[in-house]
Amino acid sequence: MDINRSIDVIIPVYKPDKKLERLLEMLSKQTWPVQKIILMNTGEMTFPSRLLGIHPFTELYQVELEDFDHGGTRQRAAGYSQAGYLLYMTQDAVPADCHLVEQLAKCFLDARVKVAYARQVPRDGCRELERYTRSFNYPPQSRVKTREDLPELGIKTFFCSNVCAMYERKAFEELGGFVRHTIFNEDMIYAGGLIQAGYGIAYQEKAQVIHSHNYSGWQQLRRNFDLAVSQVEHPEIFSGIPSEGEGLRMIKQVARQCIRAGKPWLLGELLVQSGCKFLGYRLGKIHRKLPPKVVRLCTMSPHYWNKN
């Protein structure tokens, strides 16, 4: 990768808070400077002007709430950039240090790599069970995934998170970028196509952002419902790639961590959380057979269904 190639950061924003302020501060301190930051502000017509002054090159674009789309809004933002690399982040993902951008950029020295994503480490106050889950999805070992890994990793081969992920623009445009209309999971849909095209995805554990959620069982159900909907609506990517086995592996690993930590009482919470995830996923798989009221009850993205 040419060290002079530019990098723009793209962040969808909704009701910005202190995390976004800290994120912008950390981006201004990176050892590999970003060219500009593109903020896609959804819903709120007013935006705190003080946040625009944190990084010297910040652009703000407005998105009406009913027009927001996980894929389409990010794709629109790419049109505001001329950079060779696009770093997509979410407003609640704070760089753990000043080397985040540099560590992701180095991944592209491997010619196979066309997207690289960061390790997510839990924030203060994160529940213990969520910490264990994070360690499963974001382990302390970097790797590059290609289609040769499909027999071993299954759907995990496609795993990539726009919480913090950098994309090579040339390949991004070649593959058509993000799907323009999707309920969720635009990053894995793109990553699946990338793998199928013969390219690689890098997971870089040295690139770290502070990011976690303390989701309730109901929130887990709704999130996994939307996840399954995205898979059903994109059979060209996910058909024939089983995902339930990955969930079972995670449950087993987290259960072992609970026991090793001497906290067997966490197994009950794990059972409830896993049951909610599984139920949400199964409902999402059959969403076309469900009454509209049930779909709207189960989804985290009610505006998506207004367009369908």
Side-chain angles (χ1 to χ4, degrees):
M1 178 178 177
D2 183 351
I3 196 168
N4 295 316
R5 295 293 291 274
S6 57
I7 299 170
D8 284 349
V9 181
I10 294 172
I11 309 171
V13 176
Y14 180 69
K15 296 183 178 180
D17 58 14
K18 289 289 185 180
K19 295 187 190 74
L20 177 61
E21 182 173 355
R22 180 61 177 157
L23 164 56
L24 295 175
E25 289 173 353
M26 289 301 296
L27 286 176
S28 70
K29 299 175 181 178
Q30 293 296 301
T31 54
W32 191 312
V34 298
Q35 178 175 271
K36 67 179 177 180
I37 299 172
I38 299 168
L39 303 176
M40 304 297 288
N41 186 50
T42 301
E44 298 291 330
M45 295 305 295
T46 58
F47 186 90
S49 58
R50 61 184 175 80
L51 297 182
L52 297 177
I54 294 175
H55 189 278
F57 302 102
T58 303
E59 297 177 0
L60 179 68
Y61 298 91
Q62 185 66 31
V63 181
E64 296 304 319
L65 186 60
E66 60 270 19
D67 294 330
F68 176 81
D69 185 275
H70 282 277
T73 299
R74 287 175 169 86
Q75 185 64 33
R76 172 185 162 191
Y80 300 134
S81 168
Q82 298 299 319
Y85 294 83
L86 304 170
L87 175 54
Y88 283 90
M89 301 185 70
T90 56
Q91 69 184 56
D92 58 346
V94 179
D97 57 35
C98 61
H99 300 287
L100 171 72
V101 176
E102 178 183 359
Q103 291 294 344
L104 288 173
K106 285 180 178 179
C107 294
F108 295 91
L109 292 171
D110 185 333
R112 299 173 298 169
V113 173
K114 303 303 176 185
V115 60
Y117 67 100
R119 184 182 185 186
Q120 297 180 30
V121 296
R123 67 178 83 255
D124 292 341
C126 178
R127 290 200 301 261
E128 195 154 8
L129 204 61
E130 174 64 11
R131 289 179 180 274
Y132 296 159
T133 302
R134 290 273 149 184
S135 69
F136 176 83
N137 288 324
Y138 303 96
Q141 300 90 25
S142 300
R143 74 176 295 170
V144 175
K145 299 177 292 185
T146 68
R147 59 187 173 194
E148 282 72 34
D149 294 305
L150 280 167
E152 174 197 352
L153 299 178
I155 200 169
K156 193 76 169 182
T157 311
F158 300 161
F159 186 74
C160 177
S161 176
N162 272 346
V163 165
C164 184
M166 186 180 291
Y167 296 76
E168 183 199 80
R169 187 185 197 92
K170 182 179 179 181
F172 187 79
E173 292 179 346
E174 173 192 328
L175 296 174
F178 295 124
V179 60
R180 299 331 189 249
H181 182 47
T182 182
I183 190 170
F184 183 50
N185 214 27
E186 79 292 334
D187 37 24
M188 280 188 67
I189 295 168
Y190 175 84
L194 189 83
I195 291 291
Q196 292 174 357
Y199 296 125
I201 300 169
Y203 164 63
Q204 177 53 268
E205 69 90 12
K206 291 182 180 179
Q208 300 184 4
V209 290
I210 302 168
H211 179 264
S212 60
H213 294 287
N214 287 325
Y215 284 140
S216 66
W218 177 243
Q219 288 172 315
Q220 295 283 15
L221 184 152
R222 300 177 78 197
R223 187 176 189 277
N224 274 39
F225 178 88
D226 288 355
L227 174 66
V229 168
S230 74
Q231 293 183 8
V232 168
E233 296 189 344
H234 292 278
E236 75 282 3
I237 301 296
F238 300 106
S239 179
I241 307 292
S243 59
E244 286 86 348
E246 186 65 17
L248 288 174
R249 283 193 292 274
M250 183 184 71
I251 292 170
K252 290 177 181 178
Q253 177 174 308
V254 172
R256 286 194 294 268
Q257 287 182 278
C258 292
I259 293 170
R260 282 198 298 265
K263 298 180 178 180
W265 57 85
L266 290 175
L267 295 175
E269 182 183 348
L270 174 62
L271 182 63
V272 171
Q273 290 275 334
S274 300
C276 290
K277 290 179 182 179
F278 180 75
L279 179 59
Y281 185 80
R282 296 309 301 173
L283 288 171
K285 282 286 189 178
I286 62 168
H287 73 276
R288 291 171 178 163
K289 299 179 181 179
L290 299 176
K293 287 185 178 180
V294 174
V295 169
R296 290 184 175 275
L297 179 67
C298 292
T299 186
M300 291 186 80
S301 309
H303 291 286
Y304 173 81
W305 301 98
N306 294 336
K307 302 177 184 179
N308 282 9

